[in-house]
Amino acid sequence: MSMLVLVALIVGTAVFEHWTNTGKPAPDRPAQAAGSAREINGLLAKLVVAKEAPMTGYSREEFPHWDTNKPEHGFGDAFAQYSRCTTREVMLLRDAVGSVRLDPSTCKFTMGADGGWRDTYGVPDKKTGDLKPYKWITDSAGVDVDHIVALAEAWRSGAATMPIDTRRRIANDTLNLSPSDPTANRSKGDQDPSTYLPPGNFRCAYIGRYLTVKVKYGLSVDSKEQAGLKTAVQTCIDRGEFT
């Protein structure tokens, strides 16, 4: 099974969690299964190492988002009825917990008493370095959507010379979208794994998805980024999260 298919299955496994959970997820639970060590190392081997391109000409508008939910964005048949909704809205539905509904006609959310989103990126306490409690968010407008491969990072990694339609797909790909606490997302900014990885329990799943997106779209890595990814992958293997 290819890593791309595996990650799609991993995402799909979590899709309907919010229909069945009656409470908030445990904060110390791994966010998602991360995949196999063999497949993750296979992705590492496929990365093209190159010097980063300059930011000349970059703007977020060069990566059109939020697109409507088209099949090419990878959410699958389970979300086909939400074709009028944006990829942000569909991603929020995919990763919601508890009683959360999205109206396929109006694309408005309806929240039950137990519905919301649990950040899994994590935010360290500046004084102690320990993780703060994972934030629980009950208003969809209060959730940030992280591009796992940041759009500026994609630009520096080869997307600047790609067709705008490819950049649109990078910006709306289900594998590249994840909900987060706004503080966690903004502490990341456009950093790559040489300087930022989620400090919380999403780290290894994040690395798997980062690698998948880079390989899928032929985005390069620089030497520091490659070294950071190799170290992070080995740490996840040692922790048993890449089995």
Side-chain angles (χ1 to χ4, degrees):
M1 183 182 293
S2 71
M3 186 61 198
L4 181 58
V5 172
L6 176 66
V7 175
L9 288 173
I10 290 168
V11 172
T13 300
V15 161
F16 292 108
E17 182 178 27
H18 57 286
W19 300 109
T20 56
N21 270 4
T22 56
K24 304 170 187 177
D28 58 350
R29 187 189 63 183
Q32 295 174 353
S36 77
R38 179 179 179 182
E39 286 162 330
I40 292 292
N41 279 316
L43 288 172
L44 274 172
K46 292 179 180 178
L47 292 173
V48 175
V49 181
K51 185 178 179 180
E52 286 191 338
M55 291 293 289
T56 306
Y58 170 76
S59 74
R60 287 180 66 84
E61 286 68 33
E62 292 291 336
F63 293 81
H65 65 291
W66 301 104
D67 199 6
T68 52
N69 178 31
K70 299 179 176 67
E72 65 189 32
H73 299 319
F75 287 93
D77 292 344
F79 296 97
Q81 64 178 308
Y82 303 104
S83 60
R84 294 184 179 183
C85 303
T86 66
T87 51
R88 171 188 164 86
E89 290 159 343
V90 177
M91 186 283 305
L92 287 173
L93 178 65
R94 180 195 71 189
D95 292 345
V97 175
S99 303
V100 178
R101 300 291 184 270
L102 180 64
D103 188 306
S105 297
T106 65
C107 300
K108 301 295 184 183
F109 282 100
T110 302
M111 311 291 296
D114 64 342
W117 292 267
R118 172 73 78 192
D119 173 61
T120 54
Y121 278 65
V123 177
D125 186 288
K126 291 182 179 180
K127 292 183 179 179
T128 66
D130 296 333
L131 281 178
K132 295 180 179 180
Y134 290 97
K135 190 171 183 179
W136 174 249
I137 306 170
T138 57
D139 179 0
S140 62
V143 182
D144 266 18
V145 177
D146 177 44
H147 285 96
I148 290 176
V149 176
L151 302 184
E153 166 60 24
W155 183 264
R156 296 188 294 263
S157 303
T161 60
M162 294 177 180
I164 195 165
D165 187 60
T166 302
R167 295 198 294 267
R168 178 180 59 82
R169 288 187 285 116
I170 293 170
N172 294 280
D173 192 316
T174 180
L175 297 174
N176 202 28
L177 304 179
S178 181
S180 74
D181 173 353
T183 301
N185 188 33
R186 291 160 199 177
S187 68
K188 170 190 170 178
D190 66 352
Q191 296 179 82
D192 68 40
S194 67
T195 54
Y196 174 86
L197 285 168
N201 60 27
F202 186 49
R203 175 173 291 203
C204 295
Y206 177 99
I207 293 165
R209 288 170 66 176
Y210 188 96
L211 286 166
T212 302
V213 172
K214 281 266 176 163
V215 171
K216 179 178 179 180
Y217 292 101
L219 299 170
S220 63
V221 296
D222 64 24
S223 57
K224 289 183 179 179
E225 183 181 354
Q226 181 191 42
L229 283 165
K230 286 182 175 179
T231 299
V233 165
Q234 187 58 53
T235 299
C236 287
I237 290 172
D238 293 343
R239 284 166 47 176
E241 292 198 46
F242 295 145
T243 57

